Amino acid sequence: MKAVPGEGPPDARIMFIGEAPGFNEDRQGRPFVGAAGQFLEELLGLAGLRRADVFIANVVKHRPPNNRDPEPDEIAACSQFLERQIAAINPPVIVTLGRYSMARWFPGEKISRIHGQPRWIGERMIVPMMHPAAALHQPQYRTLIEADFRRLPEFVAQAEARIAQRSATAAPDKPDEPEVQQLSLF
Ligand code: URA
């Protein structure tokens, strides 16, 4: 069994978080490389994004046996890795794919109720989306997830604008204090 930590540019502006690796991901050590991954790439295309531009990770970093749902202790064991990935990449926008990653920010919510509705949590915009695997073969969900992905560029633009505005109005950095630096030489 391989670890599937995730992949993407370290300065990605948008991060997608799925559930857990499946059979193909386990073999290759890369996230979303099977059928759900192909569909995710199509969806990224609807949003004008390429896979190479975004960071893709999962809540759980190893394949659960027989593709069963992740268990609470597996999610807990992997959460420190996910937290550190989020902190290191620091993306303005996170898209959760499916209910396990949604639950990290929206515990107790239903994906059918909140999908496609971005919310600000701290300094980040979190956009809950359905899981591509759930939508792939079900025409009514497929239409919904495609519509949600088409709105992604609008959400990213909103997030970037808000972050730019915040940094423009933030207090300027304290000027350097050469005397103090000088004194510390003695
Ligand atoms: N489904 C996921 O949630 N993650 C993957 O990496 C592949 C399929």
Side-chain angles (χ1 to χ4, degrees), residues 18-22 25 31-32 36 58 131:
E19 183 178 313
E25 290 76 22
F32 281 95
N58 282 304
H131 196 288

Side-chain angles (χ1 to χ4, degrees), residues 26-126:
D26 178 44
R27 292 191 74 174
Q28 295 186 36
R30 298 180 57 210
F32 281 95
V33 290
Q38 273 179 21
F39 185 39
L40 178 60
E41 288 187 30
E42 271 180 49
L43 292 166
L44 289 173
L46 296 178
L49 295 165
R50 291 171 313 149
R51 184 179 172 117
D53 300 330
V54 303
F55 200 94
I56 303 178
N58 282 304
V59 169
V60 168
K61 309 298 188 189
H62 284 89
R63 181 187 182 209
N66 304 316
N67 284 353
R68 64 156 166 70
D69 287 346
E71 299 200 339
D73 61 334
E74 293 165 337
I75 295 171
C78 291
S79 74
Q80 57 174 318
F81 298 108
L82 183 62
E83 293 307 324
R84 287 171 70 176
Q85 286 177 309
I86 294 170
I89 294 154
N90 197 21
V93 178
I94 290 180
V95 176
T96 64
L97 300 170
R99 60 201 162 105
Y100 289 94
S101 59
M102 176 190 69
R104 154 81 180 64
W105 285 275
F106 308 112
E109 274 290 4
K110 281 198 164 19
I111 189 74
S112 54
R113 205 180 76 79
I114 66 166
H115 71 87
Q117 295 172 32
R119 291 197 207 162
W120 281 93
I121 298 190
E123 289 303 294
R124 250 183 266 290
M125 179 189 271
I126 314 293

Side-chain angles (χ1 to χ4, degrees), residues 144-166:
L144 285 182
I145 198 173
E146 287 176 354
D148 288 346
F149 267 77
R150 283 198 181 92
R151 295 197 61 200
L152 207 44
E154 177 194 330
F155 301 151
V156 174
Q158 277 171 16
E160 297 283 15
R162 174 157 157 166
I163 285 165
Q165 192 190 8
R166 289 227 166 153

